[in-house]
């Protein structure tokens, strides 16, 4: 027997809330939604169903995801454009499509369900697989390349910065010593090394001991945080008046960048001690969420991968150089 198709296994995280946040901007004829992280198309399918006036531009760096999402969204082919691109390439994509502004954009960050479920992609620490971790299989650098070529100092840096791993230096030193005997190629060996490097007392909490190391490698391989830092300002710049942005993060590093970027756009660009804000210098963004919204207990029970999700949203309330 064969298992369910990936699109059938995929449960979009916080679907109803995400749609509720973006849908008000997608009611006029010809409105444009960008799904910057298309994945298997679950969120996009809901928007196409519930916002019949909207057109979708779906981006993904993973060709397999684009193919599967295209199959899922085939009934809406007349309203969809799918593009193989990383989301910081948004300005180029919009320029090539002749789209001057967008009405909504969704970022569902991190690794997709499909990538986690496909063992040979090497994202999951709980099963042995080649150490790949590329979201785009055509990209040049794999996790094995990082492990086998980076210095101990650089390995420790990415483990600490991207994985928030307290034992980063100890793990990095062990990796460098181990690769002198045999280069790293598969995940099970790395998982075992990390487990052995972490003191036994520290293994009792925080889930799988290799979780933070795998997260750090994945972020490094795919330049995820650098891409996000470029993509969010570009997305805000592309929003039409009353356009909306929703960002779904799964760890504190992504959420911190999102929070800081959105907060900066809600502040005026004049000195704080000015008694009156001149016309045209008001903040151009309004937050739609108070802090980061989290999934309900019922949703986490139904879809455990939603547990770490954080959602932030904002609306553009001033056009460039104009008062809304």
């Amino acid at each position: 027997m064969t298992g369910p198709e990936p699109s059938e296994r995929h449960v979009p995280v916080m679907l109803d809330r995400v749609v509720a946040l973006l849908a008000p901007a997608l009611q006029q004829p010809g409105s444009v939604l960008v799904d910057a992280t298309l994945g298997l198309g679950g969120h996009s399918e809901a928007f196409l169903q519930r916002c019949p006036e909207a057109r979708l531009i779906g981006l993904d760096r993973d060709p397999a995801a684009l193919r599967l999402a295209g199959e899922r969204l085939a009934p809406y082919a007349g309203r969809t454009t799918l593009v193989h691109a990383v989301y910081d390439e948004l300005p180029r994509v919009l320029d090539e499509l002749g789209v001057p502004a967008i009405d909504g954009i969704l970022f569902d960050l991190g690794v997709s369900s499909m990538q986690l479920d496909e063992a040979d992609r090497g994202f999951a620490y709980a099963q042995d697989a080649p150490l790949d971790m590329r979201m785009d299989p055509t990209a040049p650098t794999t996790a094995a390349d990082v492990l086998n070529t980076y210095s101990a100092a650089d390995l420790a840096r990415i483990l600490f910065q991207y994985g928030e791993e307290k034992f980063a230096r100890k793990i990095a030193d062990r990796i460098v010593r181990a690769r002198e005997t045999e280069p790293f190629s598969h995940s099970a060996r790395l998982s075992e090394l990390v487990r052995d490097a972490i003191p036994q007392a520290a293994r009792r909490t925080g889930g799988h001991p290799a979780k933070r190391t795998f997260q750090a490698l994945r972020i490094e391989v795919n330049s995820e945080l650098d891409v996000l830092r470029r993509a969010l300002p570009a997305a805000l710049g592309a929003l039409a008046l009353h356009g909306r942005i929703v960002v779904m993060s799964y760890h504190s590093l992504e959420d911190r960048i999102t929070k800081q970027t959105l907060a900066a756009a809600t502040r005026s660009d004049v000195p704080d001690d000015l008694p009156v804000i001149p016309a045209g210098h008001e903040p151009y963004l309004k937050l739609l969420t108070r802090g980061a919204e989290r999934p309900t207990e019922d949703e986490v029970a139904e879809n455990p991968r939603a547990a770490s999700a954080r959602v932030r949203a904002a609306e553009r309330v001033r056009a460039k150089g104009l008062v809304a």
Side-chain angles (χ1 to χ4, degrees), residues 130-288:
L131 282 162
D132 192 316
M133 299 194 195
R134 291 172 298 175
M135 293 178 177
D136 181 351
T138 67
T141 303
T142 68
D145 294 330
V146 172
L147 289 167
N148 293 324
T149 63
Y150 279 32
S151 68
D154 283 339
L155 286 171
R157 173 184 55 80
I158 68 168
L159 294 179
F160 182 74
Q161 290 183 355
Y162 299 160
E164 299 176 293
E165 173 57 72
K166 291 187 295 184
F167 303 101
R169 187 71 209 207
K170 191 172 184 180
I171 294 169
D173 287 341
R174 289 207 180 193
I175 289 170
V176 170
R177 287 200 303 270
R179 76 190 187 194
E180 292 175 358
T181 304
E182 180 186 354
F184 283 89
S185 62
H186 280 69
S187 55
R189 181 178 174 219
L190 177 62
S191 293
E192 183 178 356
L193 179 147
V194 173
R195 182 180 58 79
D196 291 343
I198 294 176
Q200 188 170 1
R203 292 184 223 152
R204 299 193 185 106
T205 59
H208 196 290
K211 178 180 179 180
R212 292 177 294 275
T213 293
F214 274 65
Q215 173 182 296
L217 286 171
R218 192 200 79 218
I219 290 172
E220 174 69 10
V221 167
N222 297 288
S223 302
E224 291 177 46
L225 300 185
D226 290 338
V227 168
L228 184 62
R229 290 188 184 97
R230 293 190 293 267
L232 290 179
L236 296 179
L239 282 180
L241 183 62
H242 303 304
R244 293 186 170 200
I245 179 172
V246 170
V247 183
M248 195 178 319
S249 308
Y250 294 87
H251 59 74
S252 60
L253 302 175
E254 296 169 337
D255 186 56
R256 190 177 305 135
I257 293 169
T258 302
K259 177 183 178 180
Q260 292 171 349
T261 303
L262 297 184
T266 64
R267 294 193 290 268
S268 171
D269 59 1
V270 299
D272 292 338
D273 58 356
L274 211 65
V276 177
I277 299 176
H281 291 273
E282 297 88 347
Y284 72 90
L285 209 66
K286 176 182 73 174
L287 297 180
L288 300 174

Side-chain angles (χ1 to χ4, degrees), residues 9 111-125 127 218 305:
R9 295 197 307 264
V111 64
S112 74
S113 297
M114 179 194 70
Q115 290 162 341
L116 283 171
D117 290 340
E118 292 186 352
D120 61 356
R121 302 292 291 272
F123 288 101
Y125 44 78
Q127 50 192 340
R218 192 200 79 218
R305 286 179 182 168

Side-chain angles (χ1 to χ4, degrees), residues 21 25 28 37 42 47 65 82 84-85 97 99 106 126 178 180 200 202 210 221 240 252 259 274:
L21 287 166
Q28 67 271 28
T37 50
F47 280 108
L82 307 186
H84 181 219
L97 294 176
V99 176
L106 170 65
E180 292 175 358
Q200 188 170 1
V221 167
S252 60
K259 177 183 178 180
L274 211 65

